[in-house]
Each structure stands twice: as structure tokens, then as C-alpha cells.
Amino acid sequence: MNNEKIISLEEIDQTRFWGVNDNLLDFVRVLFPKLKLIVRGEMLKVIGADDDIASFEQKLEAMKTYYDRFGHINENAIVQIMENNVGPESETNDEILVHGRNGLLVKARTPNQHRLVEAVRENDMVFAIGPAGTGKTYTAVAMAVRALKNKEVRRIILTRPAVEAGENLGFLPGDLRDKLDPYLQPLYDALRDMIPQQKLLSYWEDNTIEIAPLAFMRGRTLDNAFVILDEAQNATSAQLKMFLTRMGRNAKFVVTGDITQIDLPRNQQSGLVEATRLLKNIEGISVIELDNSDVIRHRLVTKIIRAYDKADNNN
């Protein structure tokens, strides 16, 4: 038996909440096919079974909380609200690392990612080791953006060994950023998720966010900065030692890498392997290992990693 419930929305801008031509209302209708939703001015009539109405009311309250907090709502935010049993109003500031673009809530999603977040909070230098898709780089970038927004640091510096170019970038076309784009794309992608485009461009222009090839870090002292070295398994021992000793006052260093995907020549040892062995017991330095259970990409990525691991173990 269907019942009817009238919900007041008088405190909400209907156009901004439901979208142009009620496109978000139509989206919500698709998510609740057992209910009939009718908007009349500032009133929402909900028709359906009691259990379905109760579930809808809980999600609607979460949507209203999100709207009150951010002044807008969109499909991506609604999907996140629907997937969470308790909605975004239960998220604490500690759980959410960054309020990203288009309502994206960036947070640690696996136990090892939570360990990584805590390690970065408690240590000035952290090594995050794990296979592709485990979120080590994305989480590091989120922590960097959070630190910048909270004014804990003045700038973010991103670096990566350009192994394919032999760190000799002069022959590549364009300016420095053009030369590095192919190697730093995962970092760019993460930043674009977390910072509005115009703000990100201004950060690049005034070097609040700096892109620096590993070879160009020599001789610098990095103060008041959150520094991320990505793909560190492709740094030689000399390069990584040089990088780690660039740390200045009030700096956070996060070094990420996958020791199963080393692209260095066979006669060169990965500096990441050596550094984690030498430094793991030093106070203020933490080594966090992520594994296949942390893979949050497409489900096939986990299966692919396991298949290769199995083949390696059989060889």
C-alpha cells in the first residue's frame, strides 16, 4: 500500500538544488524508481511504501546537508551520498582530505591508505610503496593540497624521474612544463580533481605549485614545502640521496614508487629499494607498504596484478 509524505524545501533555492529544468530531480527519480516524486513550489510530495519513503528522506537530508555546506550539489555528489549508508554529513574533517571539484570528497578508502595519511601527519618523510592503482600518489597529492589549503606549507613541489628521456630533457620540444607533461600526467590528473581549474592555473603561474624534474633539484633547499617524488623506483641511488637531502625547514617529503616496475638499466640499482632499507628505522621517517587489497581502480586491475604476481612466483 502506497502512502504520501509532504516535505518542505522552503529554505532551499529550488533551481540550484534540483538543477536547470529539474535535471537533478530527474536523476534522483531514476535512483528511486519505486517512488513518485512531485515538486510543487517549495513542497515535495513523495508517494510510495513507508520503507522506501524513509530511505529517501534519509538521503534527502544528506543532500540538503551537502547543499548547505557547499552551496551547490551535482550528480557526482548525489551518487556518493547514495553509496554511503549515513551520508556526507557524518564525514568528519579528519576523514575528508580535500573537498574536490564537482562535489568530489577525497579521502583514504582502504586501511593502508589510512595508514599512509596518518604517517604523513606524524612524520616529515614518508615512503609509500605499492603496485599501480593502490592510491599512493593520489593520496599523497591530496595530503599536499590539504596542507596548502590549511597554510601548513607555502608551496607544493612535484617531481618525477624522466627515465624515458634519460633525464636529458633538452631535446624535447616546448618549455619545461611541456617537456615534463608526459611524465607528470598522473600528478596533473590528481591536482585537477582537487583544485578548480583557474585556481590551479594561478598556482602554476606564481609557482605555488611547481613542476620540477628530478635532475633539476640538485643544489636546492626546499623550505615550507610539501614535496612529492613520484615513480621513485626509477631514481638511482645517487639521485635519491640528492633528493632526500634537499629537505629544508617546515617541509614534508613523500616518496612514492612501485618496486615491481623498475625501468632503470639492469646495471643500476633502484635508489628507492636502497633508501627504504637504509632509512626505515630512523625516527621521523615512515615506510608504508600498500598491496593488491588497496587497488581501487577497475576490478580488472586487481586481477591483472595478481596474474602477473602468480607468474613471477612460478618463474
Side-chain angles (χ1 to χ4, degrees):
M1 178 179 176
N2 285 342
N3 289 315
E4 182 179 300
K5 180 76 179 281
I6 303 296
I7 301 173
S8 173
L9 299 174
E10 60 183 7
E11 74 280 10
I12 287 176
D13 183 325
Q14 301 294 306
T15 301
R16 297 186 67 184
F17 189 73
W18 294 124
V20 178
N21 298 322
D22 288 341
N23 63 305
L24 290 181
L25 177 60
D26 292 337
F27 184 69
V28 172
R29 284 181 174 130
V30 172
L31 298 175
F32 289 90
K34 295 181 180 180
L35 296 176
K36 187 173 183 179
L37 306 178
I38 304 170
V39 173
R40 292 285 185 267
E42 297 176 344
M43 309 303 292
L44 171 63
K45 181 188 292 187
V46 186
I47 302 172
D50 286 342
D51 289 347
D52 293 329
I53 292 175
S55 176
F56 171 77
E57 281 192 281
Q58 181 186 28
K59 298 303 183 183
L60 181 64
E61 284 303 311
M63 289 171 58
K64 289 164 64 178
T65 299
Y66 184 99
Y67 173 84
D68 289 341
R69 182 181 296 171
F70 301 110
H72 67 87
I73 195 165
N74 53 40
E75 291 185 5
N76 184 55
I78 292 172
V79 168
Q80 290 192 37
I81 290 167
M82 299 304 162
E83 290 179 347
N84 291 332
N85 291 329
V86 290
E89 72 275 14
S90 69
E91 304 280 7
T92 68
N93 288 334
D94 287 339
E95 290 173 331
I96 300 171
L97 302 179
V98 178
H99 294 291
R101 299 176 62 190
N102 300 320
L104 178 66
L105 301 180
V106 181
K107 60 179 182 176
R109 298 187 180 275
T110 71
N112 284 331
Q113 288 178 11
H114 280 286
R115 290 180 59 229
L116 175 56
V117 168
E118 288 305 310
V120 173
R121 285 174 176 158
E122 296 173 3
N123 299 273
D124 288 337
M125 184 177 293
V126 175
F127 292 84
I129 315 297
T134 52
K136 54 190 183 296
T137 298
Y138 199 84
T139 303
V141 173
M143 292 296 287
V145 172
R146 179 186 176 96
L148 183 65
K149 287 185 174 182
N150 291 344
K151 302 188 185 306
E152 297 166 10
V153 297
R154 295 178 186 169
R155 54 185 174 153
I156 296 172
I157 298 174
L158 310 174
T159 184
R160 203 178 193 194
V163 170
E164 293 87 343
E167 289 283 23
N168 181 13
L169 300 170
F171 68 89
L172 294 174
D175 61 18
L176 181 58
R177 191 173 299 154
D178 293 330
K179 297 173 192 289
L180 286 170
D181 270 352
Y183 310 103
L184 291 162
Q185 199 58 50
L187 300 174
Y188 283 131
D189 290 343
L191 287 170
R192 291 188 181 105
D193 273 357
M194 302 174 199
I195 302 175
Q197 183 66 21
Q198 286 303 118
K199 188 67 174 177
L200 185 55
L201 290 174
S202 70
Y203 280 156
W204 280 334
E205 288 172 1
D206 65 10
N207 279 336
T208 298
I209 296 180
E210 180 183 350
I211 310 298
L214 183 57
F216 288 16
M217 302 290 283
R218 191 176 303 278
R220 301 181 61 183
T221 300
L222 305 176
D223 297 323
N224 299 304
F226 197 116
V227 188
I228 299 173
L229 170 59
D230 193 34
E231 297 289 341
Q233 76 275 4
N234 291 326
T236 65
S237 294
Q239 287 173 329
L240 197 51
K241 179 183 177 182
M242 175 273 293
F243 169 77
L244 297 177
T245 54
R246 301 305 93 202
M247 175 177 272
R249 290 169 292 124
N250 189 39
K252 288 273 189 184
F253 273 39
V254 178
V255 181
T256 70
D258 177 2
I259 59 176
T260 69
Q261 294 187 10
I262 298 173
D263 298 320
L264 290 168
R266 291 183 180 275
N267 63 340
Q268 287 188 317
Q269 180 185 10
S270 169
L272 181 60
V273 174
E274 180 186 50
T276 53
R277 176 175 55 83
L278 294 175
L279 307 178
K280 63 182 179 181
N281 293 322
I282 294 178
E283 185 177 355
I285 297 177
S286 179
V287 178
I288 302 297
E289 295 184 5
L290 299 96
D291 56 36
N292 296 344
S293 66
D294 299 295
V295 174
I296 53 176
R297 292 181 181 173
H298 194 285
R299 64 183 184 280
L300 288 179
V301 175
T302 302
K303 294 180 179 179
I304 290 168
I305 293 171
R306 288 174 179 166
Y308 276 96
D309 286 346
K310 184 177 180 180
D312 289 341
N313 291 334
N314 290 335
N315 290 336

